[in-house]
């Protein structure tokens, strides 16, 4: 770990918690809890925690911060396009991961998993090099990147630099039941996560604060408390689905841009789920090429709301309502579609 100061304690899981998390067969290093709220990260996060917390924030930076599978990719592309004067050509020529790197991604790929992937690609020097880049910490690369920088993270605000809001931050929240379904499919599809349990077991981990980046509601509330800050824009995934042009205009206002109705309509076409599925710069084809993702899975899935109903039985539905009600009791945060 870096010799920079880090204000938060990082603790190992209890034996019982660690046992439940063994269902993530691709996470070979195990998990830890970070800070007073006990946010879940992998052991490898210890190597980067202080570097992230102490990283330089530039006023020209734009961060997309979300809990995982809350519309992150959708928002990244929207934000990048709005900030970069709708440069469709550049967006096609560079992958979203190049244009908008994922700050703590390397904590997800244990070094032994990298060795495994490289062995699978033995003899293919180009792919082995790409695997090395994908699985290495990106803090130095981010530090050396020219402005304006676009950065994605699933870390809660408290684990980011204290002056993060010197930059622009777009935070997106989504109904946790839909998050659970989407995240479940992602964790099954990514070899380096390798979720081997059923959906119900996955849901139990989410509501018991035992999944990556949980506690879920603390994550949201930290951002919600800052929603009036001029440098933070708080969005709901459901609003993006309901009225994408309005959200595009909000993002444009936030980033000091102005686009015509025709330009906004064209961007809406570009941002459709069907367009995303066909767009290699967005749909993470490189993960399949490198063996990080199962070949028959999709990174961009359905992108709809309410799909959780196909996965929840009556007991889980009641459990979800109780969990959400208890966690929203001490805040005025409300999901727009539930009001």
């Amino acid at each position: 770990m870096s010799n920079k100061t880090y204000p938060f304690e990082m603790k190992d899981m209890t034996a019982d918690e660690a046992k439940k998390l063994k269902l993530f067969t691709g996470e070979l290093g195990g998990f830890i809890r970070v800070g007073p709220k006990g946010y879940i990260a992998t052991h490898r996060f210890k190597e980067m925690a202080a570097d992230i917390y102490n990283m330089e924030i530039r006023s020209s930076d734009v961060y997309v911060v979300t809990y995982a599978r809350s519309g992150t990719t959708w928002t990244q592309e929207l934000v990048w396009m709005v900030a970069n004067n709708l440069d469709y050509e550049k967006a096609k020529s560079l992958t979203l991961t190049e244009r908008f790197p994922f700050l703590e991604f390397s904590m997800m790929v244990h070094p032994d998993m990298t060795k495994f992937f490289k062995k699978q690609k033995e003899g293919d020097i180009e792919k082995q090099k790409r695997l090395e880049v994908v699985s290495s910490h990106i803090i130095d690369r981010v530090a050396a990147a020219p402005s304006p920088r676009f950065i994605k993270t699933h870390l809660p605000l408290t684990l980011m630099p204290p002056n993060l809001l010197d930059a622009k931050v777009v935070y997106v929240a989504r109904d946790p039941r839909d998050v659970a379904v989407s995240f479940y499919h992602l964790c099954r599809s990514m070899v380096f996560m390798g979720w081997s349990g059923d959906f119900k077991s996955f849901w139990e981990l989410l509501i018991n604060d035992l999944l990556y980046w949980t506690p879920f509601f603390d994550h949201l509330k930290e951002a919600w408390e800052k929603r009036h800050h001029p440098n933070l824009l708080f969005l709901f995934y459901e609003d993006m689905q309901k009225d994408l042009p309005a959200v595009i205009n909000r993002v444009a206002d936030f980033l000091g841009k102005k686009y015509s109705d025709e330009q906004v309509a064209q961007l809406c076409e570009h941002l459709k789920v069907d367009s995303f599925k066909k767009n290699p710069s967005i749909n993470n084809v490189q993960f399949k090429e490198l063996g990080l993702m199962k070949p028959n899975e999709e990174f961009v899935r359905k992108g709809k709301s309410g799909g959780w109903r196909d996965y929840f039985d009556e007991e889980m539905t009641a459990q979800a309502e109780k969990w959400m009600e208890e966690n929203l009791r001490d805040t005025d945060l409300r999901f727009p579609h539930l009001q």
Side-chain angles (χ1 to χ4, degrees):
M1 188 177 146
S2 164
N3 58 6
K4 293 172 184 168
T5 57
Y6 193 63
F8 303 118
E9 185 186 4
M10 292 189 263
K11 295 187 297 193
D12 287 343
M13 314 294 283
T14 66
D16 185 48
E17 289 171 337
K19 189 178 173 187
K20 289 176 185 169
L21 288 164
K22 289 276 188 207
L23 287 167
F24 284 103
T25 58
E27 179 39 61
L28 307 179
F31 295 84
I32 57 170
R33 287 194 179 277
V34 186
K37 290 174 184 167
Y39 284 111
I40 302 286
T42 70
H43 259 279
R44 204 176 178 209
F45 182 68
K46 289 181 177 183
E47 298 168 17
M48 66 184 86
D51 286 333
I52 289 175
Y53 191 78
N54 293 286
M55 69 187 272
E56 175 209 12
I57 298 295
R58 303 176 196 165
S59 58
S60 56
D61 289 344
V62 183
Y63 290 80
V64 164
V65 183
T66 66
Y67 186 81
R69 305 306 277 182
S70 297
T72 322
T73 307
W74 203 17
T75 310
Q76 283 174 269
E77 186 69 1
L78 188 166
V79 164
W80 191 92
M81 291 298 296
V82 166
N84 287 276
N85 304 316
L86 309 179
D87 191 341
Y88 291 98
E89 286 311 305
K90 190 171 180 185
K92 273 183 208 159
S93 68
L94 291 171
T95 64
L96 186 60
T97 48
E98 291 171 287
R99 291 181 277 129
F100 222 126
F102 181 178
L103 189 60
E104 72 276 16
F105 176 72
S106 58
M107 83 166 194
M108 322 280 291
V109 189
H110 190 274
D112 288 345
M113 282 306 285
T114 304
K115 283 178 195 165
F116 166 77
F117 293 131
K118 285 171 91 170
K119 193 165 173 45
Q120 302 287 98
K121 302 297 171 190
E122 216 160 17
D124 191 329
I125 305 299
E126 187 263 338
K127 282 186 180 162
Q128 289 204 334
K129 278 183 184 167
R130 281 166 65 194
L131 278 165
E132 199 58 56
V133 170
V134 162
S135 59
S136 62
H137 300 325
I138 68 161
I139 313 295
D140 291 341
R141 270 181 280 151
V142 166
S147 296
R149 301 181 302 181
F150 297 86
I151 299 166
K152 156 192 168 177
T153 183
H154 292 317
L155 293 174
L157 297 185
T158 47
L159 301 189
M160 291 292 286
N163 64 330
L164 179 67
L165 290 177
D166 288 352
K168 297 278 190 186
V169 174
V170 178
Y171 187 95
V172 190
R174 184 184 189 185
D175 186 318
R177 294 166 295 190
D178 282 322
V179 165
V181 171
S182 183
F183 200 14
Y184 162 71
H185 283 288
L186 181 82
C187 292
R188 281 174 63 246
S189 71
M190 294 297 175
V191 179
F192 54 84
M193 297 165 99
W195 174 255
S196 60
D198 59 11
F199 176 68
K200 200 163 192 172
S201 309
F202 190 87
W203 168 251
E204 289 287 338
L205 292 187
L206 176 67
I207 63 174
N208 287 295
D209 303 334
L210 283 170
L211 271 188
Y212 298 85
W213 302 289
T214 57
F216 176 85
F217 279 105
D218 282 323
H219 200 299
L220 268 61
K221 287 181 206 175
E222 284 187 12
W224 181 251
E225 284 163 13
K226 307 272 188 195
R227 71 193 182 281
H228 298 307
H229 191 289
N231 276 354
L232 188 135
L233 178 64
F234 194 106
L235 301 174
F236 286 99
Y237 180 87
E238 291 76 16
D239 284 340
M240 292 170 71
Q241 287 205 310
K242 187 178 168 188
D243 192 347
L244 188 55
V247 173
I248 289 171
N249 283 318
R250 282 184 68 195
V251 171
D253 286 346
F254 181 63
L255 298 177
K257 301 285 183 178
K258 181 77 184 153
Y259 295 110
S260 67
D261 291 348
E262 290 76 20
Q263 287 172 314
V264 169
Q266 187 186 3
L267 182 54
C268 284
E269 278 301 309
H270 176 74
L271 293 169
K272 278 185 174 174
V273 171
D274 288 346
S275 305
F276 265 33
K277 280 178 181 284
K278 294 173 199 155
N279 187 338
S281 83
I282 290 166
N283 60 23
N284 256 345
V285 219
Q286 69 271 28
F287 272 32
K288 287 186 187 179
E289 290 171 357
L290 297 175
L292 278 73
M293 186 178 187
K294 292 178 186 172
N296 56 339
E297 297 285 352
E298 291 180 316
F299 181 71
V300 178
R301 285 184 65 253
K302 297 180 179 175
K304 66 173 190 173
S305 290
W308 62 268
R309 291 183 179 86
D310 299 334
Y311 291 79
F312 281 59
D313 58 26
E314 281 182 27
E315 181 196 3
M316 292 164 77
T317 301
Q319 195 181 33
E321 283 175 12
K322 186 180 177 212
W323 177 62
M324 291 166 74
E325 187 187 328
E326 283 173 357
N327 279 283
L328 293 172
R329 194 172 286 149
D330 64 347
T331 175
D332 58 355
L333 167 63
R334 295 292 179 271
F335 294 96
H337 62 300
L338 297 177
Q339 289 184 48

